[in-house]
Amino acid sequence: MFASRPELPASAVALATAIRPTAPASSRLLPVVEPLSSLLPDGALRRGGTVVVTGSPGWGATSLGLALLTAASTSGHWCAAVGLDDPGVVAMAELGVDLRRVVFVPRPRGAWAAATAELFEGVDVVLARPPARVAHTAARRLLARARDRAAVLVVLAEHRDDWPVPSEIALEVTEAAWHANGRLVSRRAVVRAVGRGITGRPRYVSLWLPGAQGAVAVAC
Amino acid sequence: MVRLMVLWCPTLSREGSRGEEPRRFAEVLDAAVELAPFARPVRLGVLAIPSKGPSRFFGGEAVFAEHLQGVVGPLLGGAGRVCVGAAEGLFAAVLAARAAVLVAPGATGSFLAPWSIATLRDPDLAAACQRLGLHTLGRFAGLEEARVLERFGLDAVRRHRVARGVDGELPGLRDYAALRRLDAVRHRDEPSEVQRGFFGERGGADVRAAAAVQRLEQRLGHGAVTVARLGGGRTPDDRAALVPWGSADAVIEGRDHVAPWPGRLPSPSPASIPSRPLAIALLDEHGHRVTVSSTGLLSAVPARLEFEAGRPRVVAAHCGPWPMAERWWGVSRRRAHLQVLCDDGLAVLLRAERSRWWLSGIYD
């Protein structure tokens, strides 16, 4: 009746190897919320990479760094925040971060690099705020560790120079202005993306960081 | 309150020099779970079981208690005594186990009355009550709640409710550190209910994350790794707290979190909440301190903001204030919040409390 019959695998193990899918390219990426995707080369965080987030104090660099955790945490990836001794947990909830997937190491007692490296073993995205300018060797070692463990390192710093190694992506808040109407309603921030991962001219995106309900949105 | 049966093994209540008590109590616990699946440890040597289901299954509370003793007794090798008691609420049930009685339903209040005030685990309160001639729980329970609040404060009111038999959860009755050790002994290193994934299962990623966190805790010490807990409240610092990883009270989202809180500060919330109170000075254009009146109005328009360190900033705009008078029935707390926008783009949330201004958050 049939011209040919497909070979049956000899055993269940053979079957399992035969039908196992090859790793799709998307597994090397961790999602970010839609408003931020236009800042990143693949529209997502690439595993093994670094993102440096900078901005003047009060301009929304912390919000931007926390917002990068949003989609990763809601899609089930574990995130960590190292060295943020003052995280705005309610603000994180308003940004949409799934707090059940976030661990905090608020005061790593001078061992932030060691703590970050340790967390790469089991956590997909680590947001770290180094206490001072990072030494070149420490930064190199962390990069190698992140690449090895296929995790993402997000560094929060005040100045671009605080992170001594060229990063794939550097996000900088270049402008920020609050809109107030009886209360602080939203902040319009312009974020510039540069780095090795971005070819051509720097990208500029105007965002509500945060918007009226606390989430990030694209401002037109 | 739920009627509980408590099993107490006096010989396993204290960890000896050889440290084998947690392991042996874990065996007792496993045996009790075989009989009644909802058996839960309270502290080392004490476990509690909601009594209703098993009692019905075994045909009566007394039969179940006997059954429990029959199963657990041989595990202790005859050397240890096993006491079983039942009553409404955990506190009364633990005392019932100590006395080895099954308190009749509804008689919990009269059962509690003759016990010493010292059973409330508060030496200061006990000493004060002894001086007042209130030696027993019954005498203490006879006080009016408002009087207890006036004289002893909020914590004593919780203990007063326990003494009256209205509440069973005495603070300090559950020993969470011992329970964590017990979990480790039983090879169940699930940090807490909260850290579970979809449908309560733990995927490979969760196990890896828990392992990494545990290694980090070994390096930095217990409590260095925290998780967030959201609760009810009006201000960001009331609504959220960081609690140690794996602590039993790490309830991420309680009912309070979604309940309406009239007068809650509007979102967005500050992305940075100082972990310690920072006093700051808010001045008007003449350099006088700005204050909030009892009616919730500012004394002057704020013009300058001075931090303890760092340069002073010029105030560009302000929103608020939002006055709050909370817990006026008890330990009252009056404060007012103010959003201040500086000319360099920095926005901060300030709190006026005890006639000073404090930094409550930075909209970073």
Side-chain angles (χ1 to χ4, degrees), chain A residues 7-213:
Chain A
E7 273 299 287
L8 284 176
S11 68
V13 178
L15 177 69
T17 49
I19 63 173
R20 181 177 302 155
T22 53
S26 62
S27 75
R28 285 183 278 119
L29 299 176
L30 293 175
V32 294
V33 282
E34 197 274 323
L36 299 180
S37 59
S38 56
L39 283 167
L40 305 173
D42 300 304
L45 296 168
R46 193 180 296 150
R47 283 181 180 270
T50 14
V51 180
V52 179
V53 180
T54 55
S56 296
W59 279 22
T62 306
S63 298
L64 183 59
L66 294 173
L68 286 170
L69 308 182
T70 305
S73 68
T74 50
S75 60
H77 298 286
W78 280 85
C79 304
V82 178
L84 274 79
D85 65 339
D86 52 357
V89 174
V90 179
M92 288 175 77
E94 286 171 357
L95 282 167
V97 177
D98 184 353
L99 290 168
R100 291 173 302 180
R101 299 267 171 193
V102 185
V103 294
F104 298 85
V105 188
R107 281 171 283 275
R109 302 196 194 116
W112 76 271
T116 306
E118 191 72 77
L119 284 168
F120 281 148
E121 301 285 326
V123 172
D124 295 307
V125 190
V126 180
L127 174 72
R129 186 197 280 157
R133 205 187 121 83
V134 184
H136 201 272
T137 46
R140 284 262 167 233
R141 208 174 297 145
L142 273 182
L143 280 188
R145 191 67 171 262
R147 202 170 301 132
D148 188 38
R149 297 290 162 199
V152 180
L153 173 64
V154 181
V155 180
L156 261 183
E158 199 162 314
H159 298 291
R160 180 71 197 81
D161 312 337
D162 289 348
W163 183 251
V165 201
S167 62
E168 252 133 43
I169 301 150
L171 304 179
E172 189 184 357
V173 183
T174 54
E175 285 172 42
W178 275 97
H179 287 227
N181 179 16
R183 62 177 177 101
L184 294 178
V185 178
S186 54
R187 170 172 46 199
R188 193 193 178 102
V190 177
V191 180
R192 182 179 64 174
V194 290
R196 283 187 304 160
I198 292 167
T199 48
R201 289 170 38 192
R203 298 180 189 185
Y204 285 89
V205 174
S206 182
L207 296 171
W208 293 116
L209 186 75
Q213 293 308 315

